[in-house]
Structures are given as structure tokens and as C-alpha cells.
Amino acid sequence: MALSWITALVTGLAALHFLQKRFFPYFWLDLRYLLKVIRYGIQIEKYKRTGHVVSVVDRFVQQAQRIPDKAFIIFHGQVHTYREMDRRSNRVANVFMKYTALKKGDTVAMLMNNEPDFINVWFGLVKVGCMVAFLNYNIRSRSLLHCFHSCGAKILVVGADMLESLEEILPNLQEDNISVWVMAAESTLPGVNTILDKLDNVTDEPIPQTLRFVDSIKAATLFIFTSGTTGLPKAAVISQLQALRGAAGIWAFGGTPDDIVYVTLPLYHSAASLIGIGGCVYLGATCILRKKFSASQFWVDCKKYDVTVFQYIGELCRYLCKLPVREDEKDHKVRMAVGNGVRSDVWKEFITRFGDIKMCELYGATEGNICFMNHTGKIGAVGRSNFFYKLVFPFELIKYDIQKDEPIKNKDGWCERVKKGETGLLISKVNHANPFFGYAGNKKHTTKKLLCDVFNKGDVYFNTGDLMVQDHDNFLYFRDRIGDTFRWKGENVATTEVADIIGMLDFIQDANVYGVAVAAGTLVFDLWKRDAFLRLIEYI
């Protein structure tokens, strides 16, 4: 009797296992991911109720006390521990408290390359209670000035290797009484203050916690610039909520404190700063930081530093696949890659060639209020949704007229949802749990990103500007981006911005710029190097 009962139980369990594998193949992966989302959501809710937010910098200070001697940043062979970075960022904070009139709530802009002091300045300013704006070091002159002024910054901090960019805008900044500081011991530029020579004149004692105390997850902490689809770059307001969500990304994909994370993407982007650096801070992991991505040195660094996780954009993986084939390409410890924008064909080639690396594709606009994470490793998908996920992040895919560049509405004036398998415009509901913080200094651009009265009177949705498809297994796939943009080294570039620059030439009556597909190996003139282009014209 007992034997027959055990046999029946085993048979039943086997049948359930078969049914689960057959009809619900992602059940356990979905459940594990959902539990992590719920766990982190409870922590965020706690911050709301107590009025005390443990920010990314708060977490960093905690880690510096908990694991002071652990390597936090390794930069081209130089090791910087959590304690060392904490103390140096304290010195940076004290320099600005002693030599400037900065106060809590002020904004400071940074124009710096990838280096440990990027993080020291960022964290140091936050310790003073300031908001920080990350300027894109690829932009110059007019666009750079626009970015600086749009975020309302009172001070500009420049890396020692960015003086050429500074010289072009320095007269304009000084006319506006902007205080400029360079991360160097001395400077030949008139009126420019130096930082390194003052670090020894201040203490590295902790800054009073009251200065960086945050009581709301909706409080702004950063400004990160996005090209968008039209015009000059816009300063996206990054709240504490967005920063905390970004910092939990690697953990949500399965990252651990023992991971060694390789970051070659620019820190002025949210991917490297919030997900990369913030992710290491959240875990208490080590970050291998490189000034710039190098395809030839990528796997050399991964082997040298025992890298287990790296960040990517689609182009990075494609560059690596273009390298000459070597015999030891799978001889590394990399187990996971986190990023976005990799094509399906590149994805397949990458894991076939370089080994069983879990590709953790994600989706999220810098200023957006929604994100997707492909926690299953489904090739080509940017994420996966289900009933429970939509309760947390309500979104829809709606019909969109590409020719008229507007959503399609029915006879009653409402937008219509697309069916599964059909391409639609991704929109995300704006509510108390998922607010849209918009752009600094430009209410018009903020309002323009919102769709009102979409399905019902009074509802509001964030327009991502991205066309996507959801298949019958609830995987989401990116299809295209609306608006006049083209991709340049992983960035969206507005064609209108390039056209405006060309139109500044006296002998150009009108200009129309658009992106075209370029075959591999074709030599093209890089219009994004706008100022170099202008100087070339002047020379001719």
C-alpha cells in the first residue's frame, strides 16, 4: 500500500514537472525575479514611510565601514579601496565647503573622463548635499554651454585632460560669473581654480550626514543628458528612486559581492554610473574601471583581473566579434554581461565564440519611468512581462502611424492597444508609484513626452518614443525608435542638431540630415565631430 502511494506521488510530481516544463518553462525564473522585485519594492516602500532614504552614497559610506580594505575601483592597475575612496571624496567635499559658497541643494556640473576622481567628485558633492550634472565629454562649444546652463549649475568641475573643451567655453562661463574648477594641482587658464593642491589642506574626516540626508525618494540627485529625438541634449532629472533602481540592476540579474565588474562605458551615462558603479556599491563588489573601451585589451583585462561581469552596449559586443579568432577565447571567468542594444545575430555569435556567458539584456530610457529586464536569457528580447509585473510597472503598446508620426485613435478619440505579435509604441503609465520627473529647465520638453487622455479621461502616460513587440510568451523586443535620430557609438544623435550646426555656415541655405545604414568597412565622415567639421570648413 505504502509502495503504491509513493509510486503515485512520484508519478504525479513527474507529471507536474513535465507540464511545468512544457507549458510554463519560465515559471521558476519568473518567480525568482518577481520575489527580488517584491523584496526591493518593500525596501523602497520603507523609505517612503520612514522619510529616510538610504541613497547610493549612504550605501557607499556603509560599505566603506563594513569592507574598508576591499578594492572598490581598480583603474589601469591602480587599486583604490572603499576606505580610500571614501576619505578622498571627503577631502573633495571639504575643499568645496572651505573654498566655495556651495550649499545644500545647489547644482554642480562635471566634465570628466572615466577615472577614480570622477566618482570622488560625484560622491564628494553629494556628501555636501549638492545635485550633480554629468556632462557628455563628446560635445563641444555651443552644445556644451547649452547643457551647462540648462541644469542650472553654479560650478563646473573639469578633468585635467578636458582643458581643450573648457577653453572653448571659458569666456562665456566667466561672463556669467560661473566658478570653474579643474582636477589638477595648477592651471595656466586665467580665473580657473585648482583642486588637487587643496586636498592636503583639508581633512578627510566624514562630512556631517545631515548635509546629504534625503527624506523623499522623489528628490532629485543627478542630471544626466539625453539627446532625445530632436534638438539639443536635454537634462533628464534623475531622482533617488531612479538611482536606487539602477543600483539594484546587477543584483537583480544575479550579481553577488564576490563579482568583479568590468566597466568601459562612459560614466556620464546612466548605464555606467547608476547600474555599473551604483551596482558595485549596492553589492559591495569590485569595479574594474577603464578610461575607454578597447576591443584589443578587453579580454586581456578580463583575464588579468578575473572579471566575472561586464557592462555592454550592442556595439561593444559587435566590436569584440570582429576581432581575429584566437584559440583561448573561452579561457576567462566571465559569467554574466549586463547591458542593452545587442542584435540577435551578434548575441548568438558572441556566446558561441566566447563561451556560456549569461547575456542580461535590459531596456530603459534615462528619463523614463519603466524598465524591462530579460532575466531568462531569451536571445533578442529586451525583457519579459507578466500579470504581476504590469501591476508594478503598468505599460501598453499602442497603434502608431509612422507616416503621420502620431498614435492612431479610434472613432471615439482613444488610443488602441496592439495585439500580441504586432508592433506598437511603448507607453508607460505615470502614477504615484512610477512618476515622470522630466527635464531640468524645460517644461515644454517635459510636457511633450507625456500623452494625456490615452484610454480614459485624465490618464497620463510617458511616451518612450520606442516601437516594440510583445510575443505570445510575453517577451518584449525592440523594433525601432521614432523621430529623426541615428546611432553613433551607442548614443542617439538628433539629426536636427547636426542640421542646425551645418546651417550655421554662410554658404548653406538649408540642410537636411538623416541616418543611413553603412556597410562594414565603409569610410564615412563623422558628422558628430561637429566642431572639428566647422574648423575644417574654416580652414578650407
Side-chain angles (χ1 to χ4, degrees):
M1 186 72 176
L3 183 61
S4 62
W5 182 84
I6 294 173
T7 303
L9 178 62
V10 172
T11 303
L13 291 174
L16 284 174
H17 179 71
F18 172 78
L19 290 173
Q20 181 260 312
K21 287 289 187 181
R22 177 68 177 85
F23 298 104
F24 306 100
Y26 304 104
F27 175 79
W28 295 111
L29 289 174
D30 286 345
L31 179 61
R32 186 189 307 167
Y33 177 68
L34 180 62
L35 290 176
K36 283 196 169 187
V37 171
I38 293 173
R39 175 182 167 186
Y40 202 67
I42 292 173
Q43 186 65 59
I44 297 296
E45 191 62 32
K46 179 182 176 182
Y47 295 159
K48 291 180 183 178
R49 294 183 181 277
T50 60
H52 182 194
V53 179
V54 179
S55 67
V56 172
V57 173
D58 287 330
R59 179 76 171 181
F60 167 71
V61 173
Q62 292 174 357
Q63 300 287 31
Q65 295 170 349
R66 188 178 67 87
I67 46 174
D69 297 319
K70 183 173 182 177
F72 174 34
I73 302 294
I74 300 178
F75 182 71
H76 294 271
Q78 298 176 337
V79 179
H80 304 265
T81 66
Y82 274 86
R83 178 195 283 122
E84 289 168 346
M85 294 288 285
D86 182 39
R87 288 179 175 176
R88 188 168 175 87
S89 62
N90 286 343
R91 287 187 183 275
V92 171
N94 280 312
V95 165
F96 284 105
M97 291 177 68
K98 180 177 181 179
Y99 294 97
T100 73
L102 272 181
K103 61 183 184 299
K104 185 172 183 175
D106 287 343
T107 299
V108 178
M110 291 173 53
L111 181 65
M112 298 180 69
N113 264 305
N114 283 16
E115 58 175 300
D117 273 337
F118 182 109
I119 301 160
N120 289 322
V121 173
W122 167 18
F123 286 5
L125 289 168
V126 172
K127 287 178 178 181
V128 178
C130 292
M131 292 178 288
V132 183
F134 297 158
L135 300 181
N136 183 335
Y137 54 68
N138 288 304
I139 60 177
R140 305 285 287 270
S141 60
R142 173 174 169 261
S143 294
L144 187 55
L145 270 176
H146 160 80
C147 290
F148 178 84
H149 289 302
S150 66
C151 64
K154 295 185 175 182
I155 288 178
L156 174 63
V157 180
V158 181
D161 55 352
M162 299 301 298
L163 295 182
E164 183 180 348
S165 296
L166 173 62
E167 284 186 83
E168 297 174 355
I169 63 171
L170 185 58
N172 301 84
L173 294 174
Q174 291 176 336
E175 283 180 11
D176 296 328
N177 295 317
I178 299 300
S179 178
V180 180
W181 292 74
V182 62
M183 207 65 187
E186 56 183 24
S187 173
T188 57
L189 296 176
V192 173
N193 304 287
T194 53
I195 298 176
L196 294 187
D197 58 312
K198 297 176 177 62
L199 292 179
D200 291 334
N201 299 333
V202 295
T203 179
D204 62 3
E205 290 299 308
I207 309 301
Q209 189 177 359
T210 53
L211 289 177
R212 68 172 189 273
F213 179 81
V214 180
D215 60 3
S216 172
I217 60 171
K218 294 183 179 180
T221 181
L222 295 170
F223 298 104
I224 296 180
F225 290 83
T226 172
S227 280
T229 55
T230 58
L232 293 165
K234 299 182 285 291
V237 179
I238 305 300
S239 67
Q240 294 288 345
L241 176 62
Q242 291 163 295
L244 289 168
R245 283 177 174 173
I250 296 177
W251 166 78
F253 276 127
T256 72
D258 294 327
D259 276 317
I260 298 175
V261 183
Y262 190 40
V263 176
T264 64
L265 305 181
L267 289 175
Y268 62 74
H269 266 319
S270 56
S273 54
L274 300 186
I275 299 176
I277 300 300
C280 288
V281 167
Y282 182 78
L283 291 168
T286 296
C287 173
I288 309 300
L289 181 66
R290 190 175 177 87
K291 185 174 182 178
K292 289 185 178 180
F293 167 73
S294 168
S296 62
Q297 289 297 307
F298 186 89
W299 293 113
V300 173
D301 283 347
C302 285
K303 293 175 184 179
K304 179 179 179 180
Y305 298 110
D306 292 328
V307 170
T308 57
V309 179
F310 72 82
Q311 274 194 292
Y312 71 86
I313 54 175
E315 285 87 343
L316 186 151
C317 296
R318 183 170 60 84
Y319 293 153
L320 293 176
C321 287
K322 293 292 183 182
L323 289 173
V325 177
R326 296 174 56 181
E327 292 183 1
D328 59 347
E329 290 183 331
K330 295 183 180 180
D331 181 22
H332 56 74
K333 296 183 179 180
V334 177
R335 65 179 184 87
M336 189 168 75
V338 179
N340 65 281
V342 63
R343 299 198 314 258
S344 296
D345 57 334
V346 176
W347 188 329
K348 292 175 184 177
E349 181 183 356
F350 188 86
I351 59 177
T352 299
R353 180 171 167 181
F354 298 110
D356 187 20
I357 299 172
K358 180 183 177 183
M359 303 296 287
C360 302
E361 183 80 359
L362 54 82
Y363 167 86
T366 302
E367 73 276 36
N369 66 338
I370 187 170
C371 68
F372 297 119
M373 301 177 74
N374 182 356
H375 57 277
T376 67
K378 176 79 169 181
I379 293 178
V382 299
R384 175 172 161 80
S385 180
N386 54 47
F387 171 78
F388 298 104
Y389 190 81
K390 288 195 73 171
L391 288 178
V392 180
F393 298 105
F395 72 92
E396 301 291 345
L397 297 179
I398 62 173
K399 295 180 179 179
Y400 191 82
D401 190 321
I402 298 177
Q403 299 300 323
K404 294 182 179 180
D405 197 22
E406 63 184 19
I408 296 173
K409 296 187 177 182
N410 60 25
K411 58 183 178 62
D412 298 318
W414 307 116
C415 293
E416 293 188 324
R417 297 173 178 86
V418 299
K419 297 177 181 178
K420 287 187 176 181
E422 295 180 348
T423 300
L425 175 68
L426 174 64
I427 60 174
S428 173
K429 193 165 188 176
V430 178
N431 53 29
H432 180 72
N434 298 290
F436 171 59
F437 297 97
Y439 307 101
N442 200 317
K443 188 176 180 180
K444 179 183 176 182
H445 282 148
T446 298
T447 304
K448 194 175 179 180
K449 289 294 290 185
L450 298 175
L451 296 176
C452 301
D453 302 331
V454 179
F455 303 111
N456 299 288
K457 191 71 176 177
D459 62 8
V460 180
Y461 283 78
F462 168 69
N463 179 4
T464 65
D466 292 324
L467 300 175
M468 304 187 77
V469 173
Q470 185 172 0
D471 67 13
H472 293 280
D473 291 325
N474 292 320
F475 284 101
L476 290 135
Y477 301 84
F478 177 83
R479 285 292 178 261
D480 201 359
R481 185 162 180 81
I482 65 174
D484 299 322
T485 62
F486 62 92
R487 298 288 287 177
W488 177 80
K489 294 185 179 179
E491 299 189 51
N492 290 316
V493 180
T495 57
T496 52
E497 185 183 357
V498 182
D500 287 344
I501 295 296
I502 296 175
M504 292 169 62
L505 299 171
D506 294 337
F507 55 85
I508 300 293
Q509 183 174 347
D510 195 12
N512 183 34
V513 176
Y514 55 93
V516 296
V518 179
T522 302
L523 180 63
V524 293
F525 190 83
D526 191 0
L527 282 178
W528 184 240
K529 301 290 186 180
R530 292 160 293 185
D531 297 281
F533 172 63
L534 288 176
R535 285 194 290 269
L536 177 63
I537 293 295
E538 290 173 358
Y539 175 76
I540 294 174

